[in-house]
Amino acid sequence: MSATTAGGRAGSIHSPLAEFWRRFRRKHIALVSGAVILLLVTASVAAPLIAPYGPAVPDYNNVLAGPSLAHLCGTDTFGRDILSRIIWGGRISLSVGFISVALGGLVGVVMGLVSGYFGGLIDSFSMRLCDVLLAFPGILLAIGVVAVLGPGIDNVIYAVAVFSVPVFARLVRGSTLALKQTLYVQAARSIGVSRFKLMFQHILPGALPAVIVYFSLRIGSSILVAASLSFIGLGAQPPSPEWGAMLADGRSYLGVADQMTLFPGLAIFITALAFNLLGDGLRDALDQKLR
Amino acid sequence: MLGYFLRRLGGTIPVLLAVSLFAFGFVRLLPGDPARLIAGPDATLQDVQAVRERLGLDQPLWQQYVRYMASTVRLSLGTSARSGQPVLTEIGERFMPTFNLSVVAMVWSCIVGVGLGVLSGVKRGNWIDQGSMVVAVSGISFPSFWLGLLLIDLCSVRLGWLPTGGDHDWKSYVMPAFTLGLPAAAVMARFTRSAFVEVAQEDYVRTARSKGLPERVVIWRHAFRNALIPVLTLAGLQFGFLLGGAIVIETVFSWPGLGRLLVESVSYRDYPVIQAEILLFSTEFVLINLLIDLLYAVVNPEIRLR
């Protein structure tokens, strides 16, 4: 639709990756977000090396202490160092976000490919299913899943994965419908390439840019939903340094120990914002192929 | 018009059936014996047997489903394992607080969201435009429960202006309604802006302007009315999502509503209540979506002619 403005450099030949990078590196906000995410991931992976204290080490002489040089983000009810808990908790929040979207994305992508490629009954059935799933707010679906499986962080992963499925399924179905008609896919079909290979080797790569964009965006919202679930007591349970669970702890100490609410919340916000802004930047950089 | 209404109404029947199947199958999806789960952890063997017979769990599945549907239609939803009260009473008590809170949140977020959207759409690039778009982008990343806690800290604990929670008078509505409506307002503002910008490029807007109509009339009568069509759909969708957001916000503000009831009953494994709430929430969403579609057809003739 608005692709005419960007199509001006027909003469020079760039690989799609180089072309993407040329556009993406101008998105300063997205670059910064990417750097923030890299930092968060590194900090989580290296938590045992970086965190000044263990996530569960109590210090009863230093209970509910405000920020100080010894405890940069203060301490909680057991005198546990909040900064250390946030760094360790990053492992939980980031992996819940990543694994759940990977899981939901995998199911959604296969569902979209199959229903876009074959059409007919499979297609209308799975798209109806997506309509129904999309009509519900993610948190309600997730609570429904937790109600069946029981509270706990493992079940939160499945719960959050469920509401990513329809997003990816619709997205990939749309691309599949368009790509199915392209010359190169028709050509591949005409020389007898198997359906499986057509779907996964010829059509899927074309749908991949959009999938990558949504991957980033979904991680942002999945981290939020997972933290909400832990906050209302249906996700990670108390001793765990999950960010939402930490906020739930801090709820009873508002005005007494604000550091218990302030810093975990900030961690959730920054992480979700970084993934959303990265996703927006990726979308802009990949725009040509998305529309 | 009537044809479209009937067709759309007919389309929701399979969805409602699917919803009822899920609510019905829900207890049977759980690991373990549903009769034992429903009877609760302290039940004796006789109690469990009584529940099994009362619910007809020894009969074939399709008969159980028919029985379930028959009693659901008669609104006999069983007894809460936690309080011992009928589920219908429990839900009835919690319905109005949630409804009132959602309506207040919806009204303010519509007015502010649409208002900000139009303001930023008309004067693109000014400080209102840039400011509201920053709010809109961070709005989707902001954990609403965190915002709620920060507000309680500021307005209740430190300043002592507003109560920390509960549903007492108008004052207790201020923070929950604000927190609940903020994401909706952000989405509405962003969406109204883009709808408005799109409409402003249409031929009829240029015509209106070129025939010398005052800018006020061009904006409100020609552009705004047409931009409102997609906004209306979004407002309906947002209302549904508001009900979802209420689950978390009610926990933050100890609001005695349906969302808190759902969270409590999931933590207590109070299956009759969970089952009824799943059915209630799902039916609400289906009806809201139906209403949006019908409203859409009223506003936009193209839809119903298809």
Side-chain angles (χ1 to χ4, degrees), chain A residues 13-56:
Chain A
I13 297 166
H14 292 296
S15 76
L17 197 66
E19 176 69 11
F20 158 75
W21 178 244
R22 196 182 60 76
R23 293 155 141 268
F24 184 70
R25 72 173 174 215
R26 279 197 242 121
K27 313 277 174 210
H28 298 259
I29 296 176
L31 279 179
V32 172
S33 307
V36 169
I37 291 169
L38 213 63
L39 195 74
L40 288 166
V41 171
T42 316
S44 305
V45 172
L49 303 173
I50 291 179
Y53 303 87

Side-chain angles (χ1 to χ4, degrees), chain B residues 215-255:
Chain B
E215 191 63 18
R216 189 170 40 84
V217 178
V218 174
I219 287 173
W220 292 107
R221 185 171 303 162
H222 294 257
F224 180 67
R225 284 176 135 196
N226 283 290
L228 207 59
I229 297 174
V231 173
L232 195 69
T233 325
L234 186 80
L237 278 176
Q238 286 300 314
F239 191 69
F241 278 74
L242 220 75
L243 288 170
I247 296 169
V248 177
I249 298 300
E250 285 180 2
T251 305
V252 176
F253 292 99
S254 312
W255 195 261

Side-chain angles (χ1 to χ4, degrees), chain B residues 44-64:
Chain B
T44 62
L45 266 177
Q46 283 97 327
D47 289 341
V48 175
Q49 188 54 35
V51 168
R52 189 172 290 130
E53 273 164 25
R54 183 164 55 81
L55 297 179
L57 290 172
D58 39 2
Q59 291 168 356
L61 267 181
W62 68 269
Q63 271 185 15
Q64 291 183 37

Side-chain angles (χ1 to χ4, degrees), chain A residues 24 27 29-30 33 213-214 216-217 273-287 290, chain B residues 136-138 140-141 190:
Chain A
F24 184 70
K27 313 277 174 210
I29 296 176
S33 307
V213 169
Y214 275 82
S216 180
L217 292 174
L273 189 67
F275 276 107
N276 281 332
L277 290 176
L278 178 70
D280 277 347
L282 287 172
R283 188 196 345 239
D284 288 346
L286 295 163
D287 196 39
L290 270 185
Chain B
V137 173
S138 38
I140 52 164
S141 313
R190 199 150 111 146

Side-chain angles (χ1 to χ4, degrees), chain A residues 24-103:
Chain A
F24 184 70
R25 72 173 174 215
R26 279 197 242 121
K27 313 277 174 210
H28 298 259
I29 296 176
L31 279 179
V32 172
S33 307
V36 169
I37 291 169
L38 213 63
L39 195 74
L40 288 166
V41 171
T42 316
S44 305
V45 172
L49 303 173
I50 291 179
Y53 303 87
V57 179
D59 177 0
Y60 293 110
N61 297 320
N62 244 327
V63 170
L64 297 177
S68 64
L69 273 181
H71 300 281
L72 286 175
C73 296
T75 60
D76 66 4
T77 34
F78 298 101
R80 295 175 296 197
D81 182 56
I82 291 180
L83 178 67
S84 306
R85 283 174 70 72
I86 289 177
I87 294 174
W88 281 93
R91 291 185 157 198
I92 305 174
S93 288
L94 288 173
S95 48
V96 167
F98 192 82
I99 297 173
S100 66
V101 177
L103 214 62

